[in-house]
Amino acid sequence: METRPLFRLTFILFLIILLFTFSWYSLNLPVVSDPSQSSSWLCNSKSRVCAHSGSVLESEIHKPRDHMEDFPHHPLDPLTMREIYKVRTILSTYPPLLPSFPAIHSLSLDEPHKDLVLKWKEGDPLPPRKALVIALLNGQSHVLSVDLDLGLVTSNKINHGSGYPMLTMNDISVAMQVALSHKELNKSTIKRGISLSDLTCVTPSAGWFGPNEEGRRIIKVQCFSNQGTPNFYMRPLEGLTMTVDIDQKEVVKFTDTGGGIPVPKGTDTDYRFKAQKEPPKMKPINPISIEQPFGPSFTVEDGHIVKWANWEFHLKADQRAGIVISRAMISDSETGVPRSVMYKGFSSELFVPYMDPDENWYFKSYMDAGEFGMGATALSLVPLNDCPRHSYYMDGIFVSWDGKPYVQPSIICVFERYAGDISWRHSEIPVNGFNIREARPKVSLVARMAASVGNYDYIFDWEFQADGLIHVAVSLSGMLMVKGTPHQTADQIPNQEAASGPLISENLIGVVHDHFITFHLDMDIDDTNNTFVKVDLVKEETFPGQSPRKSYLKAKRNTAKTEDDARIKLKLYEPSEFHVINPSRRSRLGNPAGYKIVPGGNAASLLDHLDPPQLRSAFTNNQIWVTPFNRNEQWAGGLFTYQSKGDDTLAAWSKSRNRAIENKDIVLWYTLGFHHIPCQEDFPIMPTVSSSFELKPVNFFESNPILKAAPMSEEDLPVCRPATSS
């Protein structure tokens, strides 16, 4: 019997108990100044919280919850474990799925119709609870609606279009087993001097590249050497690719074109801190944390309702989308009455094409949300490193391929951010009779999730500010997907321009690639009747003799009548603002209440529109789309993304229908993008890079809400300093 895991668990529990004991002890004894103890602290008498730097705060440890005791409080609360088990029981007796139980690829809340959610008030009975199930049986994809109150399947539709459901962990496991038992793989690894025990394989999605790949679910398998390093991504067995039929459990194609390409060395590629033998060649950075002597300013009610400052919203984890923000409301700065801003916001799809036509690379054009799931690939966040002190952690309740629920712990954190930024400031010099120094700190609330999709990590931040602004950021981290090469220096490459990327280390090319993230933003400014307005900045020329100026800019408003009017490609020299307004809600000055989307740094897809990856991801052809609300149009890449042709995407819906969108319930879609030309600093790990956009109020408030925000003062905060300082 294996005893090491039990021993490790016992040892970890012992450490936790020891840390808690030490925390209590240090918090309840007077702090003694000892110059030899650089980690001890001195605090003034006004301190309310001043703990030894080694203490562990209760808020930093997410205590495991018994989710079997959960029950829903809000119409948008995710399915509970009990509800999931009930759905499984209903499906197990549903005749069209018998005698065998189907593979479950998705099982989530079938959200109530929007009008029911908007009418619901706290204390009202919940609308009927339903589950939306995507199941695969005998090669057919079923979309089922299950009424939990009735205990019945009320709808069963079979997908007759292209594509398959999101992969399950069982699919990936099957593909791995089939590949690792293939005789040709053993021969190829031995030829490279690699043992099967040192092999780690991954399963890139196959994409879609014509009729030869249709009619069966296929996946690619590629392998790496993990000998001497957990960072196996830096040690590819280049040129070796297997195509596996998942359902038939067989290798349908084996390719090995990597003769003469060595397996790169693993020296200095281990990214774990404990593996770093040499001290860093930099001055050490002392631990840092923000002070919150009264604790966090936010609350999380009933597990999903977040309240902070003037904001309130519903927060949950979704197996496909990851982090989902719903019913975002902000209190009116004059009346304090909550006002609607956004009904629902989430990352709908990602598109990550690699720029290499090689036989072992051309298919790498991932659609991560629809193929693997952003929530499904999110792992537990690391306290104090992923999320600061006083964070609240939220679990995800997801469903495995056999229809049983499981807990993905601590995949979302909520915390307040203060990084020394300024929300507003102004000073007046005394010469005008005023001697004013006024400033307000920028404190915000962040809801965060990080998904580890293979080698890449995606960090999603939804940041709420007291001035009404929502800042949405996506950060990329992790490791590169690299290509093996026989060359060790750049001058050995005969034609560097023909290479798919630069040399980033010996025998490794960093392949050029893109990242696109498309967001579904169901804006409901003060109600559902909204209008999209494009405000163009247009150059006007002055008349002769009118002014010393020759030109100036004017803002010209253009109301979008149909979807065609709202397809936007961002242009630096044709600047515009993009407003979502409620024409029925006016300020005291007569301006319509609205929010505008403010793009940050961005990139556009440059692929040919007829290139198969771009056909499937045509939603990236524009940075902005606007569509009428349709509860069946949530996934920009289509409901069935895996191996899809692109016939059920945002671009397909919008172009074929060109529906009216003026003064309607509308959805704003925004795509932010990255071009990535790798460099040596991306090896063996990548620095985090970010891009973002903002949702900013426009005539929504009567004045700036920050006007009444209080500044900070020394009396509000503890004063702590290292014991060694004087």
Side-chain angles (χ1 to χ4, degrees), residues 425-543:
R425 81 167 318 279
H426 182 65
S427 297
E428 283 289 347
I429 58 176
V431 70
N432 292 322
F434 299 98
N435 187 9
I436 297 175
R437 303 289 185 271
E438 282 283 324
R440 304 291 185 271
K442 182 181 176 181
V443 179
S444 58
L445 183 78
V446 178
R448 169 175 293 169
M449 188 205 74
S452 299
V453 192
N455 56 301
Y456 258 102
D457 287 52
Y458 294 89
I459 305 158
F460 293 87
D461 281 359
W462 288 79
E463 182 177 8
F464 296 82
Q465 298 180 188
D467 59 4
L469 185 143
I470 304 174
H471 180 255
V472 185
V474 180
S475 302
L476 313 182
S477 191
M479 281 79 69
L480 287 174
M481 181 65 75
V482 293
K483 182 177 185 178
T485 175
H487 309 299
Q488 293 201 330
T489 60
D491 55 12
Q492 293 177 353
I493 302 175
N495 184 0
Q496 293 187 33
E497 294 298 320
S500 57
L503 198 70
I504 61 163
S505 186
E506 289 80 1
N507 303 118
L508 285 176
I509 287 174
V511 178
V512 174
H513 58 282
D514 289 340
H515 300 264
F516 299 102
I517 302 94
T518 297
F519 284 84
H520 173 286
L521 306 166
D522 182 1
M523 306 299 291
D524 278 1
I525 307 300
D526 278 322
D527 208 342
T528 58
N529 59 308
N530 285 185
T531 294
F532 181 76
V533 179
K534 181 170 174 276
V535 184
D536 298 324
L537 281 173
V538 180
K539 184 178 73 172
E540 299 280 350
E541 296 182 354
T542 58
F543 299 111

Side-chain angles (χ1 to χ4, degrees), residues 168-181 203 217 219 221 244-250:
T168 68
M169 285 304 298
N170 187 61
D171 291 332
I172 293 171
S173 177
V174 165
M176 293 282 202
Q177 293 172 11
V178 170
L180 290 172
S181 61
T203 53
R217 290 196 306 147
I219 194 169
V221 179
V244 174
D245 185 314
I246 301 172
D247 297 316
Q248 296 300 317
K249 297 181 175 59
E250 63 179 3

Side-chain angles (χ1 to χ4, degrees), residues 269-334:
T269 61
D270 192 337
Y271 49 79
R272 295 172 298 180
F273 182 74
K274 66 181 182 181
Q276 311 312 310
K277 305 302 181 185
E278 297 293 327
K281 304 299 189 293
M282 66 173 73
K283 183 177 173 60
I285 299 173
N286 292 330
I288 188 170
S289 180
I290 68 170
E291 303 161 335
Q292 292 192 282
F294 301 104
S297 304
F298 67 90
T299 59
V300 180
E301 298 177 3
D302 296 328
H304 295 283
I305 301 297
V306 182
K307 295 181 179 180
W308 174 82
N310 44 2
W311 281 104
E312 177 180 332
F313 57 89
H314 186 276
L315 175 66
K316 67 179 176 183
D318 181 84
Q319 198 158 351
R320 178 167 177 168
I323 187 170
V324 178
I325 307 289
S326 301
R327 300 291 285 125
M329 296 180 288
I330 190 167
S331 299
D332 186 88
S333 57
E334 303 295 322

Side-chain angles (χ1 to χ4, degrees), residues 17 149 246 313 337 453 498 503 578 601 683:
I17 294 169
D149 296 333
I246 301 172
F313 57 89
V337 175
V453 192
L503 198 70
F578 312 103
F683 176 87

Side-chain angles (χ1 to χ4, degrees), residues 535-539 553-556 573-577:
V535 184
D536 298 324
L537 281 173
V538 180
K539 184 178 73 172
L553 300 182
K554 288 193 72 173
K556 294 190 175 181
Y573 285 95
E574 296 180 20
S576 301
E577 287 193 353

Side-chain angles (χ1 to χ4, degrees), residues 138-157:
N138 299 325
Q140 290 186 319
S141 300
H142 295 252
V143 181
L144 305 109
S145 182
V146 180
D147 190 310
L148 286 157
D149 296 333
L150 298 176
L152 296 172
V153 175
T154 57
S155 174
N156 179 9
K157 297 178 181 178

Side-chain angles (χ1 to χ4, degrees), residues 206-213 362-365 611-613:
W208 173 82
F209 294 91
N212 291 338
E213 297 179 349
Y362 74 90
F363 51 85
K364 295 184 179 181
S365 52
D611 194 355

